[in-house]
Amino acid sequence: MTEQSDYTNHLASETSPYLLQHAHNPVDWYPWGPEALDKAQRENKPILLSVGYSACHWCHVMAHESFEDPETAEVMNALFVNIKVDREERPDIDKIYQTAHSLLTRRSGGWPLTVFLTPDDRVPFFAGTYFPNEPRHGMPAFTDLMQRIAAYLDSHAEEIRTQNTSLIEALQSINSTAAAANLNPVPLDTARQQLERDFDERHGGFGQAPKFPHPANLEFLLRHWAGSCINGGTPDRRALHMVVFTLEQMARGGIHDQLAGGFCRYSVDDYWMIPHFEKMLYDNGALLALYAKACAATGNPLFRRTCGQTAAWVGREMQADEGGYFSSLDADSEGVEGRFYVWTPDAVRSLLEETEYRVLARHFGLDRSANFEGLWHLHIYRTREQLARDFSLEADAVDAILGRASDKLLAAREQRVRPGRDDKILTSWNGLMIRGMACAGRYLDNPVWIESAERAVDFIRSRLWKDGRLLATCKDGRVHLNAYLDDHVYLIDGLLELLQARWRSSDLRFAIELAEVVLGHFEDPAGGFFFTSDDHEALIQRPRPVHDDATPSGNGIAAQVFSRLGHLLGEARYLDAAEHTLQGLWSSIESMPHGHASLLVALEESLNPVQTVILRGTQAAMAAWHRRLNRSYAPRRLALAIPDTERALPGMLAERTPQGEVLAYICSGLSCSAPITDFGHFENLLSASETPAYP
């Protein structure tokens, strides 16, 4: 069999590590672009579109079985123009063709996504995901499937043309939603009930395996509890329990890397025990922020420890020297999923002292039956408190033993062949991690994490912000691709969180510049925002993201940040954009409230306007006031400490002038109290909008 290295296709000059993995396949792959699309139309040859990403296990399987096989490649090359897409670099293409897959098959999609397109209009007429190289699990062999598809296109061209017309109409109708005349809280209560209905009482989370963390839903519930506590209300302890129990179960589960920190994509079982081992930046950014907020709300030491482990992993393994954050770690190493992470009891015993082994084995289940293909993946079976009782030890002694033992295991694991790292830097996912690091740094008072977020912002501003427009991706110094809605609004969200952790006027200016680009190039006159800009490449659909999926809805985050910026600056255009988004997407929100958690947060803040707190004074004098702001969980608050040396502030901030050592300006929505100079009075006003002490 011919070696892969004997082939080089059109992917060799791409930046995506995923595309470069396929650059020496015998398949004549092209990247998505004019060369491939023109070739298909010129030769009247259908397109085989394959969408995946670097950390995708089944993408690797299909690549090994089919794309590395010369005989399969010969069929692909003869029948199709073959286009390979990294869904992380081109989420626009992925969103469109995932939606088309759902319409064609009546099933949810996934990766690898395999779609066959007619050559002239690039409309899909057949779609699937993974296909095996031989008949298996009720699926045909990939080569047989391709030959049947090509033959069907030749003999049923008119039928396919009619189907394509219907599909385009269906894609266009997705963006058509009925607007609301008035916003109301009914979807908030409905979503709360829906999430309780789906809650797993035994293991936490929602639904059954495969189980995903769903951080947007958990944050919605945490905010719902917080809102129920304010102004003498009855605390919704059930909502808080769903959040706390789920976060505890996840932190103790194998989905959480118990040695190095960081969360894997999802659990293949109900127990959060065995994950799909890929680690994605976007999951960890959202979960880091959520654990930090839950720690602020409850004081739970497990949440504090989980934040520390996750942030340490990000700083150690996922941040470039230049400041940007990398995208993901593969599930596989040495071609085997999970190999990097699993153990045998004998291997662990050989690394530890006997007492260390006994405690750690009880903690992680090494004294139980294997839980992963005859091997042991670390999952907490006995908590630290239980271990203290089991071994008649003080809590500090248990912590010390587990710390020493875990350090030894981690050092040994570092000698193994590591999973591949996708080291492209995506603006959108960086925005999520900037938010996570800044939030954790603020609530847990860790300046190192805040500085990490600063470095990422500086990288994006210096490398990916060009001539007043944002770019989506950077790899090895090469930046390209028009940025999407998510890139802009996630980054604004991260900047607003970072501004609460510490003040930099350049960050506020950057947030405003980004907001103006979103209004100028992404806004839908019917309400909300398109995923692509008005000067983006023309595709068969211009998506308008509404539901949360693996990442928050771009429209949900847009509505949140425009509302917050509008209240902060007194900018009516921003407040109108937030309200118009909710009104324009109302019918979708009403149809399935719990699938729109990000939009529900914006709805909550529309009905209960955010409290803005602006401190002005010297850095030293403001420090205690700023610490007081960060002491409690107050999700409806936006607070900035602006030094008295700052001048020429934008919008309404220009009116927040410094006087004396510290002056606090507090507004709720459009109503503001008199400026405050007394710290005791300041505390009393804050307490009225904060959650009570955790029971």
Side-chain angles (χ1 to χ4, degrees):
M1 188 172 178
T2 309
E3 293 294 325
Q4 271 187 266
S5 58
D6 291 348
Y7 303 97
T8 299
N9 54 45
H10 305 271
L11 303 180
S13 61
E14 292 300 300
T15 59
S16 159
Y18 175 66
L19 298 187
L20 292 173
Q21 289 170 5
H22 295 270
H24 299 290
N25 290 170
V27 178
D28 190 23
W29 290 117
Y30 287 81
W32 181 279
E35 184 180 6
L37 301 176
D38 291 349
K39 175 181 172 67
Q41 190 163 9
R42 185 173 63 251
E43 299 178 8
N44 195 32
K45 202 171 185 180
I47 294 167
L48 193 165
L49 174 65
S50 176
V51 183
Y53 61 101
S54 180
C56 169
H57 172 72
W58 286 103
C59 299
H60 297 321
V61 172
M62 191 167 179
H64 178 67
E65 290 179 345
S66 296
F67 304 150
E68 296 171 8
D69 175 50
E71 294 180 3
T72 303
E74 185 177 1
V75 175
M76 295 174 67
N77 296 337
L79 298 178
F80 304 100
V81 173
N82 301 289
I83 297 180
K84 176 63 75 173
V85 165
D86 181 345
R87 67 109 174 175
E88 296 169 356
E89 283 197 338
R90 293 301 305 262
D92 52 338
I93 293 171
D94 183 55
K95 284 180 185 294
I96 291 168
Y97 290 105
Q98 291 284 358
T99 302
H101 172 280
S102 297
L103 292 171
L104 288 169
T105 67
R106 306 298 178 187
R107 296 192 303 271
S108 59
W111 302 278
L113 179 66
T114 307
V115 191
F116 296 85
L117 319 179
T118 46
D120 54 341
D121 55 11
R122 306 191 289 280
V123 177
F125 62 93
F126 186 89
T129 53
Y130 162 80
F131 292 104
N133 60 339
E134 56 188 33
R136 192 162 57 241
H137 307 308
M139 293 185 288
F142 189 47
T143 50
D144 294 341
L145 177 73
M146 290 188 291
Q147 290 165 339
R148 287 158 53 188
I149 286 172
Y152 190 86
L153 178 62
D154 286 341
S155 60
H156 296 78
E158 286 306 312
E159 293 176 33
I160 288 174
R161 187 68 60 194
T162 300
Q163 174 185 287
N164 284 3
T165 300
S166 298
L167 181 65
I168 289 295
E169 291 174 353
L171 286 170
Q172 300 307 324
S173 70
I174 288 173
N175 284 346
S176 300
T177 56
N182 295 296
L183 305 178
N184 64 71
V186 172
L188 301 175
D189 297 328
T190 304
R192 160 67 178 79
Q193 295 163 8
Q194 290 172 328
L195 290 172
E196 183 170 20
R197 182 194 64 204
D198 294 342
F199 182 64
D200 182 345
E201 297 284 356
R202 294 188 62 193
H203 308 292
F206 305 99
Q208 297 177 318
K211 290 180 78 168
F212 291 80
H214 295 299
N217 286 342
L218 291 168
E219 183 162 349
F220 165 75
L221 286 172
L222 188 63
R223 292 178 63 104
H224 187 88
W225 164 75
S228 72
C229 298
I230 295 173
N231 298 324
T234 302
D236 186 350
R237 298 193 185 281
R238 177 67 176 161
L240 181 61
H241 167 73
M242 288 188 276
V243 176
V244 170
F245 184 61
T246 299
L247 293 181
E248 287 177 340
Q249 295 298 101
M250 286 170 47
R252 293 169 181 151
I255 192 173
H256 179 215
D257 184 345
Q258 298 294 334
L259 296 181
F263 286 86
C264 298
R265 181 73 192 92
Y266 62 86
S267 171
V268 302
D269 53 52
D270 288 344
Y271 324 112
W272 306 107
M273 182 184 297
I274 303 302
H276 185 37
F277 285 88
E278 64 193 22
K279 286 184 179 180
M280 312 302 295
L281 186 71
Y282 59 80
D283 286 319
N284 284 281
L287 287 170
L288 179 57
L290 178 59
Y291 272 95
K293 292 178 180 182
C295 182
T298 67
N300 190 320
L302 175 61
F303 298 165
R304 178 177 292 273
R305 188 161 57 246
T306 303
C307 284
Q309 291 174 308
T310 303
W313 167 72
V314 171
R316 185 175 59 249
E317 299 188 34
M318 300 301 289
Q319 187 160 30
D321 292 341
E322 296 85 357
Y325 297 114
F326 300 132
S327 294
S328 64
L329 297 182
D330 285 358
D332 303 1
S333 56
E334 301 181 271
V336 179
E337 183 176 7
R339 173 172 285 186
F340 181 72
Y341 298 98
V342 296
W343 298 88
T344 65
D346 287 344
V348 173
R349 190 187 293 272
S350 70
L351 297 168
L352 304 179
E353 298 173 3
E354 184 57 29
T355 299
E356 292 172 342
Y357 177 77
R358 289 174 58 236
V359 174
L360 184 127
R362 183 78 59 88
H363 189 49
F364 288 133
L366 295 168
D367 55 354
R368 299 172 182 239
S369 299
N371 61 3
F372 181 68
E373 300 178 359
L375 297 166
W376 281 255
H377 178 56
L378 302 184
H379 172 93
I380 295 178
Y381 291 86
R382 301 288 287 174
T383 68
R384 291 168 185 246
E385 295 77 16
Q386 290 170 328
L387 292 173
R389 294 194 297 270
D390 292 346
F391 293 99
S392 299
L393 293 169
E394 296 294 330
D396 289 347
V398 171
D399 289 345
I401 291 169
L402 290 177
R404 290 196 306 271
S406 296
D407 287 346
K408 291 177 182 179
L409 265 61
L410 181 59
R413 199 179 78 175
E414 288 298 302
Q415 304 308 309
R416 299 175 180 177
V417 177
R418 298 183 58 80
R421 181 174 65 192
D422 187 328
D423 59 354
K424 67 177 179 291
I425 295 169
L426 297 170
T427 302
S428 60
W429 297 5
N430 270 250
L432 293 173
M433 186 52 75
I434 288 164
R435 174 179 178 263
M437 281 293 206
C439 186
R442 178 165 68 92
Y443 278 123
L444 277 63
D445 193 21
N446 191 312
V448 173
W449 304 342
I450 296 169
E451 189 269 340
S452 170
E454 276 186 359
R455 291 174 54 217
V457 167
D458 292 344
F459 176 87
I460 291 170
R461 187 162 40 213
S462 64
R463 303 288 184 88
L464 289 149
W465 179 245
K466 302 291 185 183
D467 301 321
R469 295 300 293 273
L470 194 63
L471 297 171
T473 182
C474 176
K475 171 74 167 65
D476 296 332
R478 180 182 168 191
V479 297
H480 67 133
L481 300 177
N482 293 340
Y484 309 98
L485 175 65
D486 291 0
D487 297 291
H488 292 80
V489 297
Y490 292 178
L491 184 53
I492 297 170
D493 200 22
L495 288 164
L496 288 176
E497 190 60 56
L498 186 54
L499 282 163
Q500 294 192 82
R502 60 91 197 96
W503 170 262
R504 285 199 310 185
S505 58
S506 59
D507 289 346
L508 181 58
R509 288 196 301 271
F510 192 22
I512 294 170
E513 289 175 311
L514 292 167
E516 292 298 328
V517 171
V518 174
L519 285 181
H521 293 282
F522 290 84
E523 193 168 20
D524 181 353
F529 299 90
F530 292 110
F531 187 69
T532 54
S533 61
D534 55 5
D535 52 0
H536 192 78
E537 169 191 3
L539 300 169
I540 64 171
Q541 184 202 28
R542 194 177 178 197
R544 188 176 63 165
V546 181
H547 301 85
D548 297 313
D549 46 38
T551 54
S553 156
N555 270 291
I557 302 302
Q560 291 179 39
V561 299
F562 275 113
S563 174
R564 291 191 154 222
L565 273 174
H567 284 295
L568 181 68
L569 301 173
E571 177 53 75
R573 291 182 303 123
Y574 294 170
L575 294 172
D576 290 345
E579 185 175 22
H580 199 204
T581 298
L582 291 168
Q583 290 173 331
L585 305 179
W586 188 253
S587 63
S588 183
I589 296 171
E590 278 193 314
S591 69
M592 191 174 66
H594 71 307
H596 299 77
S598 298
L599 279 162
L600 293 184
V601 169
L603 174 61
E604 177 205 334
E605 293 195 351
S606 175
L607 299 173
N608 304 281
V610 65
Q611 179 190 65
T612 57
V613 180
I614 307 300
L615 301 180
R616 298 302 311 269
T618 65
Q619 292 277 22
M622 287 192 300
W625 297 58
H626 197 206
R627 283 195 300 271
R628 173 60 187 84
L629 283 165
N630 296 331
R631 192 180 73 193
S632 300
Y633 176 60
R636 296 175 186 169
R637 177 186 296 157
L638 178 65
L640 306 182
I642 306 176
D644 56 6
T645 53
E646 287 289 343
R647 297 290 186 268
L649 293 169
M652 196 164 60
L653 290 178
E655 302 170 15
R656 307 305 189 226
T657 56
Q659 296 175 34
E661 285 196 336
V662 181
L663 193 63
Y665 296 88
I666 300 181
C667 299
S668 293
L670 303 177
S671 175
C672 299
S673 63
I676 299 167
T677 57
D678 180 72
F679 186 78
H681 184 35
F682 177 69
E683 278 204 300
N684 290 336
L685 282 176
L686 293 185
S687 297
S689 62
E690 294 176 340
T691 56
Y694 182 66

